[in-house]
Amino acid sequence: MTAPSLTALSVMSLLSLGYLSQDWTSPNHPRPHIIFIMTDDQGFNDIGYHNRDIHTPTLDKLAAEGVKLENYYIQPICSPSRSQFITGRYQIHTGLQHSIIRSRQPSCLPFDLRTLPQRLQEAGYATHMVGKWHLGFYKRDCLPTHRGFHTYFGSLTGSVDYYTYKSCDGPGICGRAHAIAVTKGIRLSVSTNWKCVSSEIRRDGFGRRSGDNGGQPLFGGSNWPLRGRKGTYWEGGIRGIGFVHNPLLRRRKRVSQALVHITDWYPTLVGLAGGNVSRMDGLDGYDMWETISNGKESPRLEILHNIDPLYNPAWHGSLKNGYGIWNTAIQAAVRVGDWKLLTGNPGYGEWIPPQMLGNFPESWWNLERHTEAKKSLWLFNVADDLYERYDLAERRPDVVKQLLARLAFYNRTAVPVRYPSEDPRADPRCNGGAWGPWEGDEENWEAFYLRKRKVKRQKRKFCKMKSFF
């Protein structure tokens, strides 16, 4: 790939979920090999079949031979997308509604949830992961090899320099996050540089390609002509690149406008692997195989993009502005049918053409060039207005009330937010200069729930160094 945003920033996550020794083309072994590729910070405009200036011939060829998913949604930042993919659940049902999992936070995926690779192991698959984890590592039980992968090679943190292996979590809080190879109970540090590998997905497997969030124009990514960028709930932050390449597809070489969400891969892939999807309670995803393969109507009618009660509230939002149904100061977004509703502060809402990209001072991008009235609620028909230029909230209060009611419904099902304070023991200077697990195997999630009542503090051993808080 030659896109600047990819060569400079991206981490490729290759989740090879299933190398069976048997030939799945045999009638006795119908299950396919599964390869899922997730790219980091790849914008909607950062692929050849959306932008002729981007040269991705192999990906373009694979997409053209398979099914392109042009109504496919992800999350606006890294950890939420990866958590939804691997659990099949919305963020409000895992406690990861707010921000990412930072390197110094004692947090990771809830241990009571069975992950997608664990389900595939139950179906007889060997599971392997290469690339960025970014789902927590404060204790060993959080690591990929304890969450369903037989082997893992990659970086546990959110970002890493491919040559120096340096990863920082705030000014001066840096350490080695170099490539590590991990099997169950074994950790091997690898001193070689990352390699760029270009190869076509084998035709005897199920290949899936996806981004994890919208592109970041500050560093060369592009979501044009969509509105917004990474970290926002405008289409530019949550509408992803996705395609499927597989010989099992009955209707190939086509573009699908079916509504698909990143949580849908969990039941879809488990179903293809021969697992029992009907027994998996609590999933927010749908089995999309018939939709993708045969072009049938999507079983998904709506998507909860998120409800984040901790994000900075909109100054002009209120319960009154939400017709007494919903407090519009809260950052939230939902899509029902062709309608999309946003409340609170959705994030930077500019349209950024590719020619505007470059080495502009970061402060320039924080200046809103698009001026509009003080708002905390928007309504768009994204089927007719994909670029979100025409707010219909005042013209269609009936639709607004229906979608506000959906937000209120989802909010009643939400679990408490998991966003614990940073732990000084995580500092790499306390761990030989490297990022890695720093806490024992005991588990007490209750202490990390955000509640109004006081939580009894436990005594902790602190690293002997000058306080940096």
Side-chain angles (χ1 to χ4, degrees), residues 13-317:
S13 292
L14 170 62
L15 290 84
S16 310
L17 306 179
Y19 282 94
L20 291 176
S21 59
Q22 300 93 343
D23 181 6
W24 67 265
T25 58
S26 167
N28 296 326
H29 302 286
R31 294 176 295 173
H33 299 294
I34 302 170
I35 297 177
F36 191 100
I37 300 176
M38 182 181 292
T39 56
D40 199 53
D41 290 10
Q42 184 173 16
F44 189 80
N45 201 37
D46 293 333
I47 196 165
Y49 62 81
H50 285 170
N51 182 359
R52 294 181 180 179
D53 294 332
I54 301 297
H55 303 289
T56 53
T58 300
L59 296 178
D60 295 347
K61 181 175 183 291
L62 292 170
E65 293 173 349
V67 176
K68 299 175 184 176
L69 304 177
E70 294 295 276
N71 204 4
Y72 170 60
Y73 285 89
I74 49 181
Q75 293 308 109
I77 47 180
C78 308
S79 296
S81 280
R82 294 162 193 274
S83 70
Q84 293 197 0
F85 166 71
I86 206 169
T87 68
R89 289 167 167 81
Y90 290 142
Q91 293 158 260
I92 65 165
H93 297 145
T94 62
L96 301 177
Q97 300 96 308
H98 181 66
S99 191
I100 59 173
I101 298 177
R102 305 196 66 88
S103 298
R104 286 179 286 166
Q105 285 182 311
S107 179
C108 65
L109 285 174
F111 296 117
D112 59 336
L113 299 180
R114 301 292 289 174
T115 66
L116 171 57
Q118 286 173 328
R119 293 293 185 188
L120 293 174
Q121 285 186 359
E122 292 170 0
Y125 276 68
T127 58
H128 310 278
M129 177 177 173
V130 175
K132 170 178 169 178
W133 176 238
H134 207 185
L135 288 174
F137 59 88
Y138 80 103
K139 61 170 54 180
R140 290 180 181 273
D141 287 345
C142 299
L143 299 178
T145 48
H146 290 257
R147 304 314 303 268
F149 291 102
H150 286 108
T151 62
Y152 169 72
F153 177 83
S155 171
L156 298 173
T157 60
S159 62
V160 61
D161 187 288
Y162 291 166
Y163 298 97
T164 66
Y165 309 127
K166 183 178 180 181
S167 179
C168 298
D169 187 39
I173 312 300
C174 301
R176 296 189 310 274
H178 51 268
I180 58 172
V182 182
T183 58
K184 190 77 171 181
I186 300 175
R187 179 178 185 272
L188 172 66
S189 296
V190 182
S191 59
T192 57
N193 288 344
W194 286 78
K195 305 297 181 180
C196 295
V197 181
S198 176
S199 62
E200 292 194 14
I201 297 175
R202 290 174 42 158
R203 293 180 179 274
D204 63 346
F206 178 92
R208 173 71 180 85
R209 175 63 158 58
S210 167
D212 72 339
N213 49 245
Q216 176 54 283
L218 285 170
F219 300 106
S222 175
N223 304 303
W224 182 260
L226 303 181
R227 183 177 185 177
R229 65 187 185 190
K230 173 183 177 177
T232 76
Y233 287 95
W234 305 106
E235 291 293 290
I238 58 175
R239 185 176 284 237
I241 295 171
F243 67 81
V244 174
H245 178 275
N246 181 257
L248 291 177
L249 294 169
R250 295 185 181 180
R251 293 182 57 195
R252 305 186 210 174
K253 300 182 179 181
R254 64 184 179 87
V255 175
S256 172
Q257 294 294 339
L259 189 61
V260 181
H261 186 249
I262 192 168
T263 56
D264 298 330
W265 296 117
Y266 189 113
T268 301
L269 297 180
V270 171
L272 280 171
N276 191 339
V277 179
S278 62
R279 288 188 173 184
M280 295 184 290
D281 297 329
L283 294 186
D284 294 304
Y286 293 84
D287 188 339
M288 289 289 174
W289 179 243
E290 287 299 317
T291 299
I292 295 171
S293 178
N294 294 327
K296 292 188 177 181
E297 186 175 353
S298 173
R300 177 175 288 281
L301 302 178
E302 62 185 45
I303 295 173
L304 175 69
H305 294 304
N306 195 26
I307 299 172
D308 185 348
L310 299 189
Y311 193 79
N312 297 332
W315 291 353
H316 308 287

Side-chain angles (χ1 to χ4, degrees), residues 256-437:
S256 172
Q257 294 294 339
L259 189 61
V260 181
H261 186 249
I262 192 168
T263 56
D264 298 330
W265 296 117
Y266 189 113
T268 301
L269 297 180
V270 171
L272 280 171
N276 191 339
V277 179
S278 62
R279 288 188 173 184
M280 295 184 290
D281 297 329
L283 294 186
D284 294 304
Y286 293 84
D287 188 339
M288 289 289 174
W289 179 243
E290 287 299 317
T291 299
I292 295 171
S293 178
N294 294 327
K296 292 188 177 181
E297 186 175 353
S298 173
R300 177 175 288 281
L301 302 178
E302 62 185 45
I303 295 173
L304 175 69
H305 294 304
N306 195 26
I307 299 172
D308 185 348
L310 299 189
Y311 193 79
N312 297 332
W315 291 353
H316 308 287
S318 67
L319 184 61
K320 180 180 178 180
N321 290 344
Y323 298 96
I325 302 172
W326 179 258
N327 185 351
T328 62
I330 299 173
Q331 185 192 64
V334 64
R335 174 168 171 174
V336 178
D338 294 335
W339 295 102
K340 176 183 175 183
L341 182 84
L342 302 102
T343 69
N345 180 4
Y348 183 85
E350 185 56 79
W351 296 268
I352 306 173
Q355 62 267 26
M356 295 299 296
L357 306 180
N359 297 321
F360 288 94
E362 182 174 353
S363 59
W364 289 18
W365 292 107
N366 294 325
L367 299 176
E368 282 282 357
R369 297 191 303 274
H370 175 69
T371 304
E372 63 180 0
K374 298 174 181 178
K375 296 174 63 66
S376 62
L377 186 150
W378 297 260
L379 176 71
F380 300 98
N381 185 316
V382 288
D384 296 334
D385 180 24
L386 177 59
Y387 311 141
E388 298 174 293
R389 293 186 178 273
Y390 306 104
D391 179 11
L392 302 177
E394 294 184 1
R395 294 174 55 186
R396 296 300 305 271
D398 56 325
V399 178
V400 169
K401 292 176 183 178
Q402 291 178 26
L403 270 62
L404 290 174
R406 294 307 295 162
L407 285 178
F409 164 79
Y410 279 117
N411 196 50
R412 289 193 292 270
T413 71
V415 301
V417 179
R418 287 188 176 123
Y419 198 70
S421 300
E422 295 166 348
D423 189 337
R425 295 176 299 167
D427 193 295
R429 289 173 287 184
C430 301
N431 299 286
W435 293 105

